[in-house]
Amino acid sequence: MTILQFPKDMKWGTATASYQIEGAARKDGRGPSIWDTFAKTPGNVFKGHDGDVACDSYHRFPEDVQLMKELGVDMYRFSIAWPRIFPKGTGEVNEEGLAYYHRLVDSLLDSGIEPVCTLYHWDLPQALQENGGWENRDTIDAFAAYAETIFRSFEGKIKKYLTINEPWCASFLSNYIGAHAPGKQSLQAGVDTAHHLMIAHGRAVQSFRALSFEGEIGYAPNVEWNEPYSSSEEDAEACRRATGWFLDWFFDPVFKGSYPEFLTDWFAKEGVQVPIVEGDLDIISQPIDFLGINYYTGGVARYQKGASLFDHERVDQGYEKTDIGWNIYPEGFYKILTKIHQQYGDMPIYITENGSCYNDEPVDGVVADDGRIRYLEKHLTALHRAIQSGVPIKGYMTWSLLDNFEWAEGYNMRFGLVHVNYRTLVRTEKESYFWYQQFLKTKWLEV
Ligand SMILES: N=NNCCOCCOc1ccc(-c2cn(C[C@@H]3NC[C@@H](O)[C@H]3O)nn2)cc1
């Protein structure tokens, strides 16, 4: 057996998001978001599930904070619901919305837990969607105003911000593939919304810098890994495109001030152009303080003309899968982290999401989610290997503290360390909660 000791100064935590856990959808002035609309449209979400109640964390957050205090985390990543602050996206601030997040943040600080705030985790005010949402450049100004409102209100309390969560999901998954809100299916809309989300990111960074408040700011792209099935150039290039859709497309504009040509050329073949206006890339490439990385899965892929937007297809290598059907692929975690380090340099990295879906239920009060423990062991081992390779990992937040609304999968898919009974809202710590609690006491793994 080998002992893997993690750096003593690494920070550890868990993560959630507003629409997925809060509920209280119409409480204290909250306006509707695109996810309220999308979820209430038949056929979009498993069995018509929606975020009206979710985990009721809006009311039960003291219990959730106590769970984290007993877990022993250093930090908690949560998101602020824009529609609670500006019910119509812009205009007058909803003070009751701000007050809720001050109650949450004060509770975290009183418990010795560092708040890590995501400004945008997909719940765009529906009123802005009525005017085109992220396809409309005006939404960028609205986001910048919302971000500044949060920075000012939480000065001195929140010192780590993430601007945009998973811009790939908020753009291409939501406006090209159509699986998430608002459910469009247009590649041009995917490219437009991705570009505008990244400008919004840059404008929030500019605003944060101008205020000169103490703290750090970054963003949280999600990445996958595609390993070439053969040594052929065709397979390598197909994997480069598929991985680059998540990586180069959302990293090059920030770190290089330009889009990757191998992908802009590929989109041009589809008749799609990035709607760049002079100065956009200067805004997007504002220097950030850290990078959030969300990783879940990957796999082996090969060239297959016409099989996908990038002429690639996954090859099933028989990898064990989680209950949502994603490969368990810790090798891809190591590979994507070392590639990010090699391609983009020594930017400090926090793993802002990594976790697994296992739908185990309580039996006599025990939730034996051994699969989640094995996933954590394998991915923390890969993370340790990346750290040993020189990747500047500063923290790790597992997704998620609680079972919650998993978007189009509704409540059918469970990612939590804590089980939630959605009828009674009773929380039950799973075996993985106790495993993580023990790990957090030592910060080492025996493998
Ligand atoms: N890859 N190509 N796919 C082509 C076909 O796509 C069909 C569906 O695709 C996807 C891709 C990715 C996801 C996803 C979900 N989470 C988990 C959440 N992260 C943020 C937090 O809120 C968690 O709930 N992360 N990623 C879902 C669906």
Side-chain angles (χ1 to χ4, degrees):
M1 299 300 270
T2 306
I3 299 289
L4 305 181
Q5 178 67 59
F6 284 88
K8 287 298 183 193
D9 62 351
M10 250 185 85
K11 292 189 175 174
W12 300 84
T14 64
T16 66
S18 45
Y19 189 77
Q20 295 181 270
I21 68 165
E22 287 179 358
R26 285 170 292 282
K27 186 76 182 291
D28 296 338
R30 179 184 180 277
S33 75
I34 59 174
W35 268 97
D36 296 281
T37 305
F38 188 75
K40 285 176 170 42
T41 306
N44 285 341
V45 178
F46 177 80
K47 289 189 178 175
H49 292 174
D50 61 39
D52 280 358
V53 177
C55 308
D56 191 35
S57 288
Y58 186 83
H59 298 106
R60 296 167 192 258
F61 73 85
E63 183 181 352
D64 298 339
V65 173
Q66 185 58 28
L67 279 165
M68 283 188 275
K69 190 174 179 182
E70 288 166 9
L71 182 57
V73 296
D74 305 306
M75 48 189 8
Y76 173 50
R77 178 182 176 229
F78 66 98
S79 77
I80 290 181
W82 186 347
R84 289 197 189 280
I85 313 304
F86 291 102
K88 295 193 181 306
T90 59
E92 198 176 328
V93 174
N94 174 32
E95 294 299 339
E96 288 184 288
L98 277 179
Y100 163 65
Y101 292 105
H102 276 282
R103 294 195 295 274
L104 171 63
V105 169
D106 290 347
S107 175
L108 291 166
L109 295 171
D110 292 347
S111 301
I113 298 170
E114 180 182 8
V116 178
C117 175
T118 304
L119 293 170
Y120 186 70
H121 203 125
W122 308 352
D123 38 5
L124 181 73
Q126 179 60 35
L128 297 177
Q129 188 62 38
E130 306 299 335
N131 293 322
W134 287 110
E135 289 187 79
N136 182 344
R137 286 182 73 101
D138 293 348
T139 302
I140 298 167
D141 292 335
F143 179 76
Y146 155 64
E148 181 175 347
T149 300
I150 300 302
F151 297 148
R152 289 182 180 281
S153 185
F154 293 90
E155 182 195 358
K157 288 188 179 181
I158 299 177
K159 297 175 181 174
K160 262 193 190 61
Y161 284 99
L162 293 153
T163 55
I164 309 289
N165 181 68
E166 298 187 347
W168 181 89
C169 288
S171 56
F172 291 110
L173 184 59
S174 303
N175 295 278
Y176 167 56
I177 295 167
H180 282 195
K184 284 199 76 164
Q185 291 186 307
S186 152
L187 183 59
Q188 188 63 62
V191 167
D192 293 353
T193 52
H195 184 57
H196 297 157
L197 279 157
M198 293 312 292
I199 300 170
H201 156 77
R203 288 281 302 279
V205 175
Q206 284 181 321
S207 167
F208 188 69
R209 298 291 183 231
L211 291 167
S212 301
F213 293 158
E214 185 189 355
E216 300 176 294
I217 193 165
Y219 69 126
N222 58 308
V223 289
E224 300 185 349
W225 182 260
N226 296 279
E227 184 69 24
Y229 178 65
S230 79
S231 57
S232 73
E233 185 61 20
E234 275 187 338
D235 286 359
E237 281 306 297
C239 287
R240 184 188 181 210
R241 292 190 294 269
T243 298
W245 194 21
F246 294 81
L247 180 66
D248 307 63
W249 193 259
F250 292 99
F251 287 59
D252 277 22
V254 175
F255 293 98
K256 299 180 178 177
S258 61
Y259 281 99
E261 268 190 33
F262 73 101
L263 289 176
T264 54
D265 291 347
W266 193 266
F267 287 140
K269 286 191 312 98
E270 304 287 329
V272 170
Q273 301 287 335
V274 185
I276 297 171
V277 171
E278 177 68 29
D280 285 354
L281 271 302
D282 295 331
I283 294 170
I284 295 174
S285 58
Q286 293 298 311
I288 58 176
D289 302 305
F290 67 93
L291 192 52
I293 294 293
N294 295 359
Y295 176 88
Y296 289 90
T297 187
V300 172
R302 67 184 168 198
Y303 174 77
Q304 183 59 49
K305 186 151 184 63
S308 78
L309 172 63
F310 297 105
D311 287 347
H312 85 296
E313 65 177 4
R314 277 279 174 81
V315 182
D316 190 343
Q317 295 288 87
Y319 294 136
E320 187 186 348
K321 293 176 171 43
T322 64
D323 287 352
I324 199 170
W326 299 351
N327 287 335
I328 299 173
Y329 196 53
E331 182 67 14
F333 195 23
Y334 169 76
K335 291 209 171 177
I336 197 73
L337 289 172
T338 47
K339 183 168 180 67
I340 289 166
H341 186 215
Q342 171 250 320
Q343 258 182 221
Y344 302 104
D346 285 332
M347 176 60 62
I349 292 173
Y350 286 82
I351 305 302
T352 36
E353 282 180 38
N354 175 242
S356 56
C357 173
Y358 285 96
N359 300 321
D360 305 277
E361 293 290 342
V363 177
D364 301 330
V366 175
V367 185
D369 59 334
D370 299 343
R372 179 167 289 106
I373 293 171
R374 283 199 311 275
Y375 181 99
L376 281 169
E377 284 176 335
K378 289 172 181 172
H379 285 77
L380 290 180
T381 299
L383 184 66
H384 186 272
R385 190 178 160 208
I387 293 168
Q388 296 298 97
S389 302
V391 182
I393 303 289
K394 300 303 177 190
Y396 174 93
M397 285 154 266
T398 190
W399 182 271
S400 176
L401 170 68
L402 301 172
D403 291 339
N404 59 56
F405 178 81
E406 180 49 38
W407 310 111
E409 308 289 348
Y411 300 102
N412 191 43
M413 294 296 169
R414 295 174 176 270
F415 279 81
L417 295 175
V418 176
H419 179 275
V420 176
N421 177 319
Y422 294 111
R423 184 174 52 76
T424 66
L425 297 168
V426 165
R427 279 91 160 123
T428 306
E429 297 93 323
K430 301 179 186 177
E431 289 306 290
S432 59
Y433 172 98
F434 299 113
W435 181 90
Y436 196 49
Q437 183 182 56
Q438 177 54 39
F439 169 78
L440 293 180
K441 288 175 182 160
T442 63
K443 311 288 194 334
W444 52 255
L445 274 182
E446 192 168 3
V447 293

